[in-house]
């Protein structure tokens, strides 16, 4: 049962343009959504998060949008830079319960930014 | 601040052999997680510790996998005996307790190849 899905395995954009990465979820009990970035041979690093009570969170070039009615979130990177080339994982945390803090990850999207 | 340390970085074993991975979390982080990431998929939680107690091990194949976190600091994950399908990257992560627990810090991972 895949509760968090990233349906695009890869995305290719030109430097300076916008990158939009998408994520869908099925569980209404998720209370936080996060994006992680992963370079080869390294562990994922936290990028940005959004609470389920908000619809937008911005941090520099990175903005995450949440559409609760559609159970959809997206990460916008503007402008895209070659150093942004990495695998991006969407993750969600379920509120409460004994495994507080447990994250469910999507499959990842490989972003390639061409100079 | 030192990050999450893991060793070894790479391990190749034959099926039916045993293997152990070690993780040292960020100092002061109460929560420790072990994830399995199979190629092309997102990380999947195997086990979560809060200090030295297990919070969630619902997805740990307990017939062959075991984990411990003695003294609530570093942790080991063991596989015995290994199967071909255990080939994956094993990621350790830690987080502070409390509301910020959704932000997890990952180590570089151990890439396991079972032949």
């Amino acid at each position: 049962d895949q509760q968090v899905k990233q349906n695009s395995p890869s995305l290719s954009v030109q430097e300076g343009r916008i990158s939009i990465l998408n994520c869908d979820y099925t569980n209404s009990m998720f209370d936080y959504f996060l994006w992680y970035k992963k370079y080869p041979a390294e562990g994922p690093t936290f990028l940005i998060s959004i609470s389920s009570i908000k619809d937008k969170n911005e941090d520099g070039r990175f903005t995450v949008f949440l559409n609760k009615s559609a159970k959809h979130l997206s990460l916008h990177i503007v402008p895209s830079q070659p150093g942004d080339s990495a695998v991006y994982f969407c993750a969600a945390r379920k509120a409460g319960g004994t495994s507080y803090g447990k994250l469910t990850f999507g499959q990842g999207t490989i972003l390639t930014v061409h100079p | 601040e030192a990050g999450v340390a893991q060793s070894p970085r790479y391990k190749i074993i034959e099926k039916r052999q045993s293997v152990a991975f070690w993780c040292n979390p960020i100092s002061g982080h109460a929560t420790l997680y072990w994830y399995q990431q199979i190629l092309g998929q997102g990380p999947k939680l195997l086990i979560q510790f809060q200090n030295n107690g297990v919070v969630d091990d619902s997805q740990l194949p307990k017939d062959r996998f075991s984990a411990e976190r003695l003294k609530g600091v570093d942790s080991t994950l063991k596989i015995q005996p290994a199967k071909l399908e255990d080939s994956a990257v094993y990621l350790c992560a830690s987080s502070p307790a409390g509301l910020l627990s959704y932000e997890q810090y990952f180590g570089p991972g151990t890439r396991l190849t079972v032949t």
Side-chain angles (χ1 to χ4, degrees), chain B residues 4-65:
Chain B
V4 176
Q6 290 188 247
S7 67
R9 293 295 310 275
Y10 305 90
K11 190 75 177 178
I12 301 174
I13 62 172
E14 295 181 353
K15 60 184 179 185
R16 292 187 289 274
Q17 285 187 323
S18 62
V19 65
F21 312 127
W22 174 82
C23 172
N24 191 30
I26 292 173
S27 177
H29 280 192
T31 311
L32 185 147
Y33 311 81
W34 282 102
Y35 288 88
Q36 179 193 58
Q37 186 183 5
I38 293 172
L39 187 65
Q41 298 181 20
K44 182 185 83 170
L45 181 70
L46 292 175
I47 189 167
Q48 175 182 348
F49 291 94
Q50 183 74 16
N51 296 309
N52 60 352
V54 175
V55 174
D56 185 340
D57 63 357
S58 57
Q59 297 192 90
L60 186 74
K62 298 181 187 64
D63 58 333
R64 298 183 301 105
F65 286 65

Side-chain angles (χ1 to χ4, degrees), chain A residues 32 34 36 38 41-46 49 89 93 98-108, chain B residues 9 33 35 37 40-43 45 48 55-56 58-59 91 98-99 101-104 106-108:
Chain A
Y32 261 97
L34 303 87
Y36 278 80
K38 185 182 183 306
E42 295 182 13
T45 55
F46 170 75
S49 66
F89 291 101
R93 183 186 80 169
T98 55
S99 55
Y100 195 78
K102 173 181 176 179
L103 295 179
T104 302
F105 284 83
Q107 311 95 303
Chain B
R9 293 295 310 275
Y33 311 81
Y35 288 88
Q37 186 183 5
Q41 298 181 20
L45 181 70
Q48 175 182 348
V55 174
D56 185 340
S58 57
Q59 297 192 90
L91 294 162
L99 291 177
S101 64
Y102 64 80
E103 192 172 328
Q104 298 180 17
F106 284 82

